[in-house]
Amino acid sequence: MGDIETPENNRSRQTVIHSLLPSKEFVSSRKGILLLGEVVMSFISFVCFAASTAAAFVTAPLIEFLAALFLLFAYSTKFNERFKGFYWPLMDFLRCVSASIIFFIISIISVSKYVDGASKAAGLFGFITTIFFALDFYFIFNELANFLKGGDPSEEPPNTQDDDSDSDSD
C-alpha cells in the first residue's frame, strides 16, 4: 500500500534537522542575537533592494547575508574551532566593519536618490542593518583590544582610582 514511516526513520530526520539549526545556547548569547539579527536584516534588505529601482545595490546585502549566515552556522556548530589557521574574531571584525560601511553608503544613496517606496524601505532596513553590524564590530573590537592587552575578555576593567584619593582638586 503506502509507505509508512517507521519511528527510527523519523528520528533520523529530526536529528539531521537539529544538527543544521543553531544551538539554543549560542542563539541566546549576545553574539548569537547579533548574528541572527544580521542574517534577518540583511535578507530583508536584499528583498527590498531586489524589488526596488535601486536594484544595482542588491549584491551587497546578498553577500553580507550569506557571510552572516555562514558565520552563524560556523559559530553555532563550533565549526570555527576545527580551523585554527584563521583568526576568526579578526575575520568577523573585518566583515562587520566593511558591512556597516557598505550598508550605510548604499542606504544613504537609496534614500536620497531613488523615489519609489521599495527603495526607501531598503534604505531604512539598510540603516537598521548598519546598526546591527556596528554593534557587532564594537563588541568584537572590545574583545580584540582585551586580547591584545593580554587580559581575559570576560574580565571587568580594573578600577584605576584609589578609594582614598579626592577627585576635587582645589
Side-chain angles (χ1 to χ4, degrees):
M1 290 265 227
D3 291 334
I4 299 175
E5 294 184 14
T6 60
E8 295 88 28
N9 197 10
N10 244 354
R11 282 188 214 132
S12 67
R13 285 185 183 169
Q14 288 177 351
T15 56
V16 168
I17 291 172
H18 284 290
S19 68
L20 294 176
L21 294 175
S23 65
K24 288 182 182 180
E25 296 85 28
F26 178 73
V27 173
S28 62
S29 70
R30 179 178 66 196
K31 181 67 177 174
I33 292 170
L34 284 173
L35 268 173
L36 199 58
E38 290 170 6
V39 167
V40 169
M41 295 307 297
S42 295
F43 182 73
I44 292 172
S45 296
F46 166 71
V47 170
C48 289
F49 275 115
S52 72
T53 57
F57 301 125
V58 77
T59 307
L62 178 63
I63 290 172
E64 295 303 334
F65 165 72
L66 293 174
L69 188 65
F70 169 72
L71 282 177
L72 177 67
F73 174 75
Y75 281 137
S76 66
T77 59
K78 304 213 184 314
F79 181 71
N80 59 330
E81 293 176 359
R82 294 182 193 161
F83 294 100
K84 300 293 183 186
F86 295 117
Y87 188 63
W88 289 87
L90 183 61
M91 187 173 71
D92 197 18
F93 175 76
L94 294 174
R95 178 192 63 90
C96 288
V97 169
S98 65
S100 63
I101 291 170
I102 290 170
F103 266 106
F104 187 69
I105 290 170
I106 66 173
S107 297
I108 288 175
I109 294 171
S110 175
V111 169
S112 64
K113 187 177 179 184
Y114 298 95
V115 294
D116 62 321
S119 295
K120 302 290 184 190
L124 175 69
F125 285 118
F127 284 127
I128 296 170
T129 308
T130 301
I131 293 170
F132 273 99
F133 281 110
L135 279 174
D136 199 7
F137 87 71
Y138 172 75
F139 290 131
I140 294 170
F141 177 77
N142 284 339
E143 291 172 8
L144 286 173
N146 284 340
F147 174 75
L148 292 175
K149 287 180 187 175
D152 185 19
S154 61
E155 288 181 358
E156 290 293 317
N159 189 3
T160 56
Q161 286 187 340
D162 284 342
D163 293 334
D164 297 332
S165 67
D166 190 13
S167 61
D168 294 338
S169 57
D170 286 295

